[in-house]
Amino acid sequence: MRIVIDMQGVQTQSRFRGIGRYGLCLAQALVRNRGRHEVLLALNSLLPEAIDGIRAAFDGLLPCECIRVWYAPGPTRAADAGNDARRRRAEVIREAFLASLAPDVVHVTSVFEGFGDDAVTGAPASRGSWITSVSHHDLIPWHDPDRYLRPDPLRERWYRDRLDVLRHADLLLANSEFTARDAHRALALAEERVVCVSAACAPVFGPLALAGARAESLVRRLGLDRPFVLAAGTIEPHKNLARLFRAWARLRRDVRERHRLALIGRNDERHRRLLRDMARTAGVRDEELVLAHVSDDELVALYNLCAVTVLPSYDEGFGLPALEAMTCGAAVIGANAASIPEVIGREDALFDPYDDVAIAEKLEQVLTDEVLRASLKASGRERAGRFSWDATAKRAFAALERVAKRRDPGPTGERPRVGDVLSACIDAVAGIAPAPGERESLALAQALAYSFPPRDRVPRLFVDVSELEQRDARTGCQRVTRSVLLELLRNPPAGFRVEPVYATVDSFGYRYARRAIARLGGRSGGDEDAVPIDFCPGDVFFGLDYQAQVVPAQRDFLLLLKRLGIPCRFLVHDILPVLLPDYFPAGTEPGFRRWLCTLALFDGVVCVSQATANALRDWYRAHLPGFDPRFRIEWVHNGADIESSAPSAGLPAEAPTLLAQLDARPSFLMVGTIEPRKGHGQALAAFEALWAEGVDVGLVIVGKQGWHVEALIERLRGHPERNRRLYWLEGISDEYLEKLYDAADCLIAASEGEGFGLPLIEAARRGLPILARDIPVFREVAGDHAAYFAGREGTDLAATMKDWLAQYAAGRHPKPDAVPWISWRESTRRLLECVLAERAPSPRRGADERARPGGSVEAAAPAREEIHGGAQGA
C-alpha cells in the first residue's frame, strides 16, 4: 500500500503537546516498520515553522523526495469567518494534492487542527478513492461542552464539523482502550472502525546518569532547592490543577516545607499569572510553586530528579506524561479516570481526581513512604517497557490491511496524471466565490504550480553564478566558478540538467543565467536570461559563486526551495572577513557574518580546504549555539589545470622582454590581488633588504590593486627598481600567467590567511618551487614539498630567502613535483558527491588524498565534517 501521512498535527502548536509528540513518533514508527508498504509525508506550507524539524526527524529514515509539501494562499484559520473562501479553496487543493499522490491510505495525525491556525483537515470529498484513517486522541471538548464549546458558537460549529470528519473516516486509530470505547459511544461507530493501537513515548525519555554539576545547575535555575513533585501540563480545565493546588495545601506542614511543587508546561505569561492566582486562592504560597517551560532534554532531567510525578487530570486520551515519567524511572501517581489507569497499571498509585482529600492523601503517602516510592519506580519502569512505538505501528498496519481487505479502494499504485488532477482542482477552486475585496490570483497560481509539479521533468541542478553573470572579476574565486561551471556544463551529473542561475539584491527569486553561459562560450548574450526559474522537488540548488549580498537578500526564496524539499548547499572559499576583519574594508565583516548566518539556515557547505572547513566549524560553534545538526561542512580541493578554467589568452608586446629578463637572475613570483593580508608589503621590504646587500634577485607581482594599499601602490609605481628587478602586472591573461610560472624560479606565498592557495597548486603543477608563509592551509596544500617562513618583518623573509637561494643553488630545496593536485574534472566530481548527497548523515569516509606516481591524486572521497546544534536567523 502507498500510505500518505498528513503531518499537520505535528506542524501546529500541537507539536508542543502530546498530540504532536504522538503524531511524530507514530509516523516515524510507521516509516521504520513499513516493510513492503510505501510511506509519504504531506506537509502544509502555511505552517512553515515545523517543516525543517520534521525533515530532521526523518533524516536516515525516509528519502527527501518522500516528504512532500502542498501550497495554498492563507490565512485559513476557522476562527476568522473572513477566511472561509480561502479555507475551502485550501481544502480543494489539499484534496487534489493527495489525489495526485495516488494513495491507498491517507492517515491524518490530528483532525482537531485549524481553528486558531492555518491547518486544513476538512472531510475528504473523494470518499471511496482511498482509505482514510485518523489518529484519535480524545473527545475532551465533547465531554464538557459547557466549558469548551458553548461559550464560542464558531468554535462549537468547527468542532462538530471535526466530529463529522471522524465519523466519515474508514478507521480510527485510538491511542488507548478508553479512547476507543469513547469513540464507539460518542460517534456511534461500528466496532471494526475503531482500533486501539496504544502509544509510547519519544526516545529522548529514559533514565539518566546525571552529573552533579548539571543537575545542580538545572534545579538552581528553576528554584527547586529541595525535593519536588512534578506535574506536567497546561492550564486547560481537564488538567485539574485547581484541585491539585487545594490538595497540596492540605498536606502536613512538614511535608510541604520539605518539598516544592513544580508545574512544567508551555504556559505563556498570562497563563502563569492565572496559575499563580489559582494557587494562592487554594492556599499555596508563592515560594512553594515553581512554574516553568523547559526543553525536552530538561524535562527528561526533571523526570529523573523528581520525588514523584503526579497526573491529576480527570480526562486524558492517553496520559503521556505518566508514561514519560515512568520511562525515566520516576514514581508516578495519577487519577483513577479516563485512560490514566491503563498507563500506570497499579491500583495503589491512583486517586479520585474529584476528591481533594484523596489527592492529598496519595501525595502525602508517596512522599513519606520510601518503600512505596521505590516500588512505584520499579514497577513503573517495568510497565513502561510494555509500550513500544514499533508495536503501535505494527498494530496500525494490521488494522489498515484488514480495512483494505474489506474495502477495495480502487487501483493500487496507479498515479493519476497531474494535468488531470490540476485541471479538476482549478475548476473546483474557480467555483468558490472570493471574499469581498479578495485579490490573490497570483498567489493561487503559485500555490498550484508548487503543489503540482510535472512528473516527467528532468531534475535541475541550479548553479548560482550571480557574480559571474554580472561581471567576471578574474579573481581566484571567479576562476573556481568558471572552472566548475564549465565542467558541469560539459559533463552534467547523471539524471540532472545543469541550469546556471543568478539573482540580484532588489528582485525576488533567481533567473536563468543564459548570458553567463554565452560569455563562457565567447558569445554575446541577450536578455532572455531574465526568465524566472521553475523548480520542483527533486531539484538541487548549489551556490557556486561567492555573492555575500545576493544570498541574504534571497533568503526567503531559498527557504521556499528548502520547504519544497530542494537541498541548498554553498561553496565557501574562506571565512577571512570574520577571522581577520581589520584586513578588509569597513563594513565587510558584518555583511560576511550575515552571509555565513544565512548559509546556516540550509543544508550545508563545501569548503575548498580542510583548514577552511575546520575554521568554519569552529566559528559556527562559537557564534551560533544551538546549530542545526543536519548542517554539513565538507571540503574538496580546487583543481589546478588552468587550461580547463576557460583561460583568457593574449600576451602584451612587452611580454617577451620581461620573460627574458627573468632568466637573467633568480626571480620570484607573487600571484594574487594586492591587499593587506597578502603580505606584499613584507615581501617588498625583504627584496629591498636583499638588493641593499647586493643580492641580485627579481620580483614579479601579478594582481590587481585591492583595498587599504594606497601607500604600497604608490611605492610600487615609483620604485627605482620598477621594470628592472621589480615588476607589477595588473589584469594579465591566464596564458601570460602560465608563462610566468614557467619562467620564474620560485613562487612566494606570503598571505597571512587563505581559503586554499590556488597559486601553490598551479605553480607546483608547472614544477615551480614554493616558499610559503607557515600557515595551516599552505601546509595542507603543499606539505613537505615547499619551504616555509615565519615572522612578519621584511628581514624575517629576507633571511629565509637567502637560505632558500643557497639551497636552490645546491639543488637541495624542497621539490614541488610531489605536491598532490587534482584536475578541475576530478574536483568537480568530488564536489558533486557533496552537493548531491542525501541530507541524512552518512558514515564519514576516507578523506586523505594520497599521491600516486606522476603527481595525480587518488579519487578519495571528500572529507565530511558534521557540526551539531539549531538553525539560525541571519
Side-chain angles (χ1 to χ4, degrees):
M1 294 188 295
R2 178 181 291 137
I3 301 168
V4 177
I5 305 177
D6 183 327
M7 297 292 287
Q8 291 178 92
V10 190
Q11 290 186 260
T12 66
Q13 290 297 303
S14 290
R15 69 186 185 275
F16 301 114
R17 302 163 51 216
I19 287 174
R21 288 186 190 277
Y22 186 99
L24 179 61
C25 291
L26 175 61
Q28 289 174 317
L30 290 171
V31 169
R32 282 197 306 271
N33 294 276
R34 62 189 182 274
R36 67 184 186 278
H37 301 300
E38 181 183 2
V39 178
L40 306 177
L41 307 185
L43 307 181
N44 181 348
S45 71
L46 293 173
L47 304 166
E49 295 84 0
I51 290 178
D52 284 350
I54 291 173
R55 289 192 185 278
F58 287 87
D59 272 352
L61 289 176
L62 199 62
C64 184
E65 60 268 21
C66 292
I67 303 176
R68 302 293 301 275
V69 182
W70 60 273
Y71 284 74
T76 63
R77 58 199 65 188
D80 182 351
N83 295 332
D84 286 352
R86 268 189 301 269
R87 186 173 63 259
R88 282 161 40 216
R89 281 195 290 270
E91 289 172 350
V92 169
I93 293 173
R94 170 181 174 267
E95 187 79 9
F97 170 80
L98 294 174
S100 74
L101 302 178
D104 300 303
V105 175
V106 172
H107 178 75
V108 181
T109 51
S110 173
V111 300
F112 294 104
E113 313 294 332
F115 185 75
D117 54 61
D118 292 325
V120 179
T121 58
S126 301
R127 179 160 172 75
S129 299
W130 58 73
I131 295 168
T132 300
S133 67
V134 177
S135 285
H136 179 42
H137 301 282
D138 63 65
L139 293 174
I140 290 171
W142 184 83
H143 294 158
D144 194 357
D146 289 339
R147 191 188 301 269
Y148 286 98
L149 301 178
R150 288 179 185 140
D152 186 345
L154 194 61
R155 179 184 286 273
E156 181 175 13
R157 186 184 70 182
W158 169 84
Y159 185 81
R160 296 194 183 281
D161 286 344
R162 302 303 97 188
L163 292 180
D164 284 340
V165 175
L166 292 181
R167 290 189 182 96
H168 285 92
D170 298 287
L171 180 66
L172 301 190
L173 300 179
N175 56 1
S176 67
E177 292 289 356
F178 165 79
T179 305
R181 292 192 301 271
D182 206 24
H184 286 306
R185 177 171 59 91
L187 304 175
L189 297 177
E191 185 173 341
E192 67 271 11
R193 289 177 59 194
V194 185
V195 176
C196 172
V197 294
S198 193
C201 58
V204 69
F205 294 95
L208 292 179
L210 290 169
R214 179 184 168 197
E216 288 176 11
S217 173
L218 176 61
V219 297
R220 183 169 57 249
R221 178 170 64 81
L222 297 179
L224 297 170
D225 57 348
R226 59 200 69 187
F228 60 93
V229 174
L230 179 63
T234 58
I235 198 172
E236 295 170 285
H238 69 278
K239 297 296 184 181
N240 207 24
L241 297 179
R243 287 193 178 90
L244 176 63
F245 293 148
R246 293 199 296 268
W248 182 270
R250 285 180 170 274
L251 295 177
R252 289 194 334 242
R253 178 178 293 275
D254 62 312
V255 176
R256 288 175 64 180
E257 289 178 350
R258 291 199 307 270
H259 296 88
R260 291 282 184 258
L261 175 59
L263 183 60
I264 306 300
R266 195 175 180 83
N267 297 298
D268 58 25
E269 185 58 39
R270 182 176 68 87
H271 286 163
R272 283 194 288 271
R273 287 197 300 270
L274 291 173
L275 287 169
R276 285 281 182 200
D277 291 343
M278 188 189 303
R280 289 168 185 152
T281 301
V284 179
R285 299 188 299 274
D286 284 355
E287 64 271 18
E288 294 179 282
L289 178 64
V290 172
L291 301 174
H293 170 57
V294 299
S295 68
D296 283 355
D297 288 341
E298 291 171 332
L299 180 58
V300 172
L302 293 177
Y303 280 140
N304 276 264
L305 291 168
C306 69
V308 62
T309 292
V310 58
L311 187 60
S313 305
Y314 54 74
D315 201 347
E316 287 285 353
F318 180 75
L320 192 57
L323 182 60
E324 292 172 347
M326 292 191 303
T327 303
C328 292
V332 178
I333 59 174
N336 186 12
S339 62
I340 296 173
E342 291 180 51
V343 178
I344 296 178
R346 274 185 61 157
E347 186 68 29
D348 61 345
L350 305 175
F351 52 76
D352 182 349
Y354 299 100
D355 187 338
D356 300 352
V357 174
I359 301 172
E361 288 176 348
K362 185 58 63 177
L363 262 176
E364 192 166 300
Q365 180 188 14
V366 75
L367 289 174
T368 58
D369 187 337
E370 293 184 8
V371 174
L372 173 61
R373 202 159 59 247
S375 174
L376 288 173
K377 289 182 177 182
S379 67
R381 283 193 295 269
E382 187 277 330
R383 178 77 176 175
R386 303 182 188 181
F387 295 86
S388 158
W389 281 118
D390 289 333
T392 292
K394 290 172 183 176
R395 294 187 197 106
F397 277 126
L400 289 169
E401 288 164 358
R402 287 195 296 271
V403 173
K405 287 180 181 179
R406 291 197 304 267
R407 169 177 168 265
D408 180 8
T412 299
E414 280 189 21
R415 302 192 66 179
R417 290 176 48 197
V418 171
D420 294 341
V421 173
L422 180 56
S423 178
C425 179
I426 291 172
D427 290 343
V429 167
I432 300 173
E438 186 180 43
R439 295 178 181 175
E440 49 190 36
S441 57
L442 177 59
L444 185 57
Q446 288 177 330
L448 293 173
Y450 298 157
S451 298
F452 302 99
R455 292 201 189 103
D456 56 354
R457 175 181 176 276
V458 176
R460 267 59 163 170
L461 172 59
F462 295 115
V463 183
D464 182 0
V465 293
S466 294
E467 186 71 15
L468 183 64
E469 200 280 337
Q470 295 178 67
R471 57 189 171 274
D472 187 347
R474 312 302 294 186
T475 64
C477 293
Q478 290 283 277
R479 178 176 294 168
V480 172
T481 300
R482 291 196 312 272
S483 303
V484 173
L485 179 59
L486 274 172
E487 186 58 38
L488 289 173
L489 293 173
R490 291 167 181 160
N491 298 288
F496 281 88
R497 175 175 169 175
V498 174
E499 291 283 8
V501 300
Y502 78 99
T504 62
V505 297
D506 53 4
S507 181
F508 182 75
Y510 279 76
R511 289 163 170 75
Y512 292 106
R514 309 300 188 203
R515 188 163 49 234
I517 301 175
R519 188 178 297 150
L520 282 175
R523 306 186 306 273
S524 60
D527 295 328
E528 67 273 13
D529 54 345
V531 177
I533 66 172
D534 60 314
F535 49 88
C536 66
D539 295 340
V540 174
F541 180 92
F542 177 43
L544 172 61
D545 237 349
Y546 166 62
Q547 233 301 344
Q549 291 76 41
V550 167
V551 171
Q554 296 297 333
R555 172 181 178 272
D556 289 344
F557 181 84
L558 293 169
L559 286 174
L560 169 63
L561 298 185
K562 184 180 180 183
R563 289 179 196 133
L564 273 174
I566 297 174
C568 299
R569 296 183 172 90
F570 301 84
L571 186 68
V572 173
H573 296 276
D574 63 67
I575 63 165
L576 298 175
V578 295
L579 299 181
L580 305 170
D582 292 342
Y583 285 158
F584 291 85
T588 301
E589 191 271 343
F592 194 88
R593 177 185 293 264
R594 185 166 56 252
W595 179 69
L596 288 180
C597 291
T598 303
L599 301 191
L601 296 169
F602 300 98
D603 297 275
V605 298
V606 185
C607 299
V608 298
S609 67
Q610 187 174 21
T612 298
N614 291 340
L616 180 60
R617 176 200 59 215
D618 293 343
W619 189 86
Y620 275 142
R621 286 177 173 171
H623 295 86
L624 301 181
F627 196 64
D628 188 341
R630 296 168 300 156
F631 191 86
R632 301 175 69 154
I633 296 181
E634 306 171 290
W635 61 270
V636 172
H637 279 176
N638 289 326
D641 46 335
I642 294 179
E643 63 271 17
S644 297
S645 62
S648 54
L651 299 176
E654 64 272 15
T657 301
L658 187 151
L659 293 170
Q661 289 175 334
L662 295 184
D663 287 334
R665 61 183 60 84
S667 299
F668 293 78
L669 176 66
M670 296 185 74
V671 178
T673 303
I674 301 176
E675 54 178 279
R677 67 181 168 92
K678 294 287 190 175
H680 291 91
Q682 181 184 6
L684 181 58
F687 277 85
E688 289 172 337
L690 292 174
W691 292 329
E693 294 179 22
V695 180
D696 187 20
V697 289
L699 172 62
V700 180
I701 297 174
V702 175
K704 297 185 299 184
Q705 178 179 345
W707 49 87
H708 298 338
V709 290
E710 289 77 10
L712 175 61
I713 295 300
E714 187 175 343
R715 286 174 60 197
L716 288 174
R717 293 190 192 281
H719 203 284
E721 291 288 344
R722 186 172 184 188
N723 296 329
R724 294 179 61 250
R725 292 187 290 191
L726 172 65
Y727 305 91
W728 174 30
L729 307 177
E730 297 183 80
I732 68 172
S733 69
D734 292 322
E735 180 185 3
Y736 196 2
L737 176 60
E738 289 202 82
K739 291 187 178 298
L740 290 170
Y741 278 136
D742 290 334
D745 296 285
C746 182
L747 175 79
I748 292 182
S751 181
E752 295 184 35
E754 286 291 343
F756 178 64
L758 188 57
L760 276 70
I761 297 289
E762 293 176 341
R765 183 169 177 257
R766 313 293 296 195
L768 180 62
I770 300 165
L771 175 59
R773 189 182 299 279
D774 196 355
I775 59 177
V777 71
F778 288 164
R779 287 279 184 181
E780 175 187 341
V781 169
D784 296 331
H785 312 299
Y788 296 93
F789 72 93
R792 302 177 68 175
E793 301 297 328
T795 52
D796 299 323
L797 177 55
T800 303
M801 288 178 62
K802 285 198 293 186
D803 291 341
W804 186 90
L805 286 166
Q807 293 178 17
Y808 181 65
R812 296 195 304 270
H813 65 287
K815 307 300 189 296
D817 308 64
V819 171
W821 64 271
I822 57 177
S823 66
W824 279 114
R825 172 170 292 189
E826 176 62 15
S827 177
T828 303
R829 185 191 68 78
R830 299 185 189 188
L831 194 61
L832 284 173
E833 287 186 10
C834 301
V835 172
L836 301 181
E838 285 288 330
R839 289 173 59 101
S842 57
R844 183 182 176 118
R845 293 179 283 171
D848 293 334
E849 293 182 343
R850 298 174 293 280
R852 284 179 174 172
S856 64
V857 177
E858 290 186 17
R864 300 177 183 270
E865 188 66 57
E866 296 167 21
I867 49 184
H868 303 274
Q872 311 301 311

